[in-house]
Amino acid sequence: MTELSAGMAQHRPTTSGLLSEGDWQQFFAGYSHIVLVANSDEQNFNEIHAAYPETTLFVFFNYVSKVLKAPFTRNSLLVARTSRVGSELIYDNALDKVLALLPGPGFTGVMSMRAATMEQVTEPAEFGGVAAGAIDLCSYLEDFYPLDHTASSGFALSVWLCEKVPQAKVVLCGFSGRRSRKWQMFHIHDWTFEQSVLQLLANSDKLEMAGRTAFNPYKALSRHFPDIDNSNFVFAAIQVLSERLENSNRNLGKLITITMPLRVIYNLARGLRIRSKKDRLVKQRKKQRAKNGEPS
């Protein structure tokens, strides 16, 4: 057992009472590796997690059943992202079911994350007797994230860790940025921007993409042709991407025309649907704030 793992065995920290970025920096600094596990079926987590030492912290997001099929007993942290009505795990009454997959002394607790101003703060006490802390990354992200989108939880935390906890090895597991056959992607996040930033950080050795080769063919190409200026490689790639995007847009236009009757039926059905639970909760909160004289 290493000195770090021996120390962790004697006193394993929890997220209880962690509220500032400084608190979280100190918490994460106790681990040699921090593996962020995306809710994606484009990975084999059972093979990947065995490759990391005992001093690793595995970070899961919201509905971990998308990844875990059996209880996970190693060091773990659950990130519970807030929404317009607070944590989805709480208003969906899913917290107990999720925590059942993270049993034992290895579970360090919950991180309640807020990353957009429209999100309702979820206080640690709302998670009942579960060890919980909170982090607000709104001001951190507003300096560089596209204003017309909100950051995904995995992106927000991975970039923050690279900058604030540089001594730990940040590893991303399943961060493909692609829609799978089972799980949809929410377009509230700017996936192109996020994948570009994560690739930049990986190329700069600030994080690691588990299961993805580190080989960069464009860098290799520039080394192979040292007499060609690097900017020319960029211009060539942009030109090809522009042509391919134009071809895709033409095909997309044809699909929109062909599927018009189906979209008319779909929009009619949406207009008749019962208001969702989230919409009802948002409306209730607005009424309560108006009654209390608070801004909506």
Side-chain angles (χ1 to χ4, degrees):
M1 182 180 291
T2 66
E3 182 178 344
L4 179 57
S5 59
M8 290 176 58
Q10 294 174 6
H11 178 66
R12 188 181 307 279
T14 70
T15 63
S16 181
L18 304 185
L19 298 174
S20 69
E21 289 192 40
D23 292 338
W24 286 104
Q25 284 177 272
Q26 186 175 2
F27 169 82
F28 285 115
Y31 297 92
S32 63
H33 296 70
I34 304 172
V35 179
L36 282 66
V37 186
N39 290 331
S40 168
D41 57 3
E42 294 189 18
Q43 61 175 306
N44 191 335
F45 180 66
N46 291 331
E47 294 180 3
I48 292 174
H49 82 77
Y52 296 96
E54 296 178 1
T55 52
T56 301
L57 177 68
F58 294 88
V59 181
F60 299 94
F61 299 88
N62 281 339
Y63 297 94
V64 301
S65 59
K66 295 180 179 180
V67 179
L68 299 177
K69 304 307 176 187
F72 184 77
T73 58
R74 295 187 62 181
N75 300 328
S76 62
L77 168 71
L78 174 64
V79 174
R81 178 68 177 267
T82 61
S83 69
R84 294 176 297 160
V85 292
S87 170
E88 293 185 6
L89 296 180
I90 292 178
Y91 75 69
D92 275 351
N93 295 318
L95 183 61
D96 290 342
K97 184 177 180 180
V98 168
L99 293 180
L101 290 168
L102 299 170
F107 179 60
T108 61
V110 175
M111 168 194 273
S112 175
M113 177 191 289
R114 181 172 181 257
T117 55
M118 57 85 175
E119 294 173 354
Q120 176 72 29
V121 176
T122 303
E123 301 295 340
E126 296 183 55
F127 292 93
V130 181
I135 190 169
D136 191 332
L137 296 180
C138 290
S139 59
Y140 174 76
L141 292 164
E142 68 182 4
D143 286 343
F144 62 89
Y145 200 87
L147 297 178
D148 54 346
H149 290 77
T150 63
S152 67
S153 304
F155 173 83
L157 185 56
S158 60
V159 176
W160 184 87
L161 285 169
C162 285
E163 185 174 2
K164 303 296 184 179
V165 193
Q167 65 271 34
K169 182 67 174 180
V170 179
V171 182
L172 305 186
C173 182
F175 281 64
S176 65
R178 294 189 296 270
R179 192 199 194 287
S180 68
R181 287 174 294 178
K182 294 174 60 178
W183 312 117
Q184 66 175 318
M185 293 175 63
F186 297 103
H187 294 290
I188 191 173
H189 310 310
D190 191 330
W191 296 108
T192 300
F193 175 80
E194 293 193 4
Q195 286 295 305
S196 299
V197 173
L198 295 179
Q199 189 62 60
L200 173 65
L201 294 174
N203 291 346
S204 304
D205 296 323
K206 292 184 178 294
L207 57 78
E208 174 185 321
M209 299 278 200
R212 186 186 301 184
T213 177
F215 176 71
N216 187 325
Y218 293 97
K219 278 188 176 182
L221 190 63
S222 67
R223 291 193 298 268
H224 189 79
F225 294 101
D227 57 318
I228 300 178
D229 187 87
N230 284 341
S231 62
N232 288 329
F233 293 103
V234 176
F235 292 141
I238 291 174
Q239 181 180 359
V240 173
L241 287 173
S242 178
E243 292 173 354
R244 291 180 64 84
L245 181 60
E246 179 62 22
N247 289 333
S248 296
N249 286 338
R250 288 173 183 165
N251 291 325
L252 182 60
K254 294 177 183 178
L255 285 174
I256 290 175
T257 301
I258 293 171
T259 60
M260 185 177 294
L262 292 175
R263 286 185 287 109
V264 170
I265 296 173
Y266 174 76
N267 290 333
L268 286 173
R270 280 181 60 87
L272 295 174
R273 72 180 176 88
I274 301 175
R275 184 180 293 272
S276 71
K277 182 178 180 181
K278 182 185 289 187
D279 291 337
R280 293 198 304 270
L281 288 174
V282 170
K283 189 174 182 179
Q284 290 173 7
R285 284 182 181 271
K286 286 183 178 180
K287 285 184 177 180
Q288 187 62 42
R289 287 176 179 173
K291 185 178 180 180
N292 297 336
E294 302 174 2
S296 58

